[in-house]
Amino acid sequence: MGEVRFFESNIANHEADGLISTGNIYLNMSGGVNGELLHQGGKAMQQQLHTWLKKQSLHYVEPGFAMVIGPEPFAFKCIVYTVAVDGFYGTNDELVKTCLRKGLAMLAEAGCRSAAVPALATGYGPLKKEEFGRILREFLDEEGDFGMERIDVVCERDIDEVRKGWGNTDSLKPSCGKA
């Protein structure tokens, strides 16, 4: 099993092969990780998402949706946009696990060996960061790390709350870093 690490920094600038980002069912990059990607990278990824919706003749996607976007102009090999909330910004453990499963699988398929993961569904979504930490640990214990050498959980603030939910474990050896 790869290493799981925790960082308090800007995820858009984090050094990893791949990034899981999360947004809403309308594929709007309006806040959180996506807002930062939009701010730093311009509108190309937002246009990619909206063009995909239009080509599919859709106005929205179902919760649990995932697709590869970008990654230009970012240094990541691959960015996966996932939807970990429903239309009312509700979520649950299984939805978050679905997004983790799809996101890590797509990153692995793209040849990524390391992943930067935000605390899914904790921005506009109702999850507390502590709950995300618990869900992530359960997920990795149940399904593994998809061959990732490391998974970095990255939040701009309150990373200790994620660590609290994660708890201590000998098998996954979490470590903490401040970038």
Side-chain angles (χ1 to χ4, degrees):
M1 170 102 31
E3 183 179 19
V4 177
R5 307 182 311 171
F6 300 86
F7 293 89
E8 205 166 88
S9 69
N10 184 326
I11 198 169
N13 301 321
H14 192 77
E15 290 186 26
D17 292 340
L19 167 70
I20 295 176
S21 118
T22 184
N24 59 44
I25 63 170
Y26 303 105
L27 306 186
N28 291 326
M29 299 178 77
S30 56
V33 174
N34 286 313
E36 186 62 24
L37 293 175
L38 185 63
H39 172 73
Q40 285 190 35
K43 296 180 181 180
M45 285 189 282
Q46 179 63 82
Q47 290 171 340
Q48 181 183 4
L49 289 164
H50 285 168
T51 298
W52 184 89
L53 272 176
K54 188 175 182 177
K55 284 182 179 178
Q56 303 302 311
S57 299
L58 297 171
H59 296 288
Y60 63 91
V61 297
E62 294 297 319
F65 172 85
M67 75 178 276
V68 172
I69 61 172
E72 296 81 15
F74 297 94
F76 300 107
K77 286 182 185 177
C78 183
I79 297 173
V80 176
Y81 182 102
T82 62
V83 179
V85 295
D86 63 24
F88 299 101
Y89 290 91
T91 195
N92 59 52
D93 291 15
E94 287 310 310
L95 181 52
V96 172
K97 288 178 182 180
T98 294
C99 290
L100 288 167
R101 182 180 308 107
K102 288 180 178 181
L104 290 172
M106 290 173 147
L107 292 180
E109 187 175 308
C112 297
R113 304 291 293 152
S114 59
V117 179
L120 302 177
T122 64
Y124 290 116
L127 279 186
K128 293 182 177 168
K129 288 186 177 171
E130 185 174 344
E131 291 174 297
F132 174 76
R134 174 191 53 78
I135 293 167
L136 177 64
R137 181 169 174 188
E138 287 175 7
F139 172 80
L140 292 174
D141 284 347
E142 293 165 4
E143 300 200 30
D145 60 12
F146 293 78
M148 294 292 154
E149 292 173 5
R150 69 172 211 272
I151 295 174
D152 294 344
V153 181
V154 185
C155 299
E156 282 193 333
R157 60 188 175 282
D158 303 324
I159 195 65
D160 289 337
E161 291 299 310
V162 179
R163 283 184 58 89
K164 184 177 177 184
W166 172 269
N168 293 323
T169 177
D170 294 331
S171 64
L172 296 178
K173 300 178 186 137
S175 62
C176 185
K178 298 263 184 180

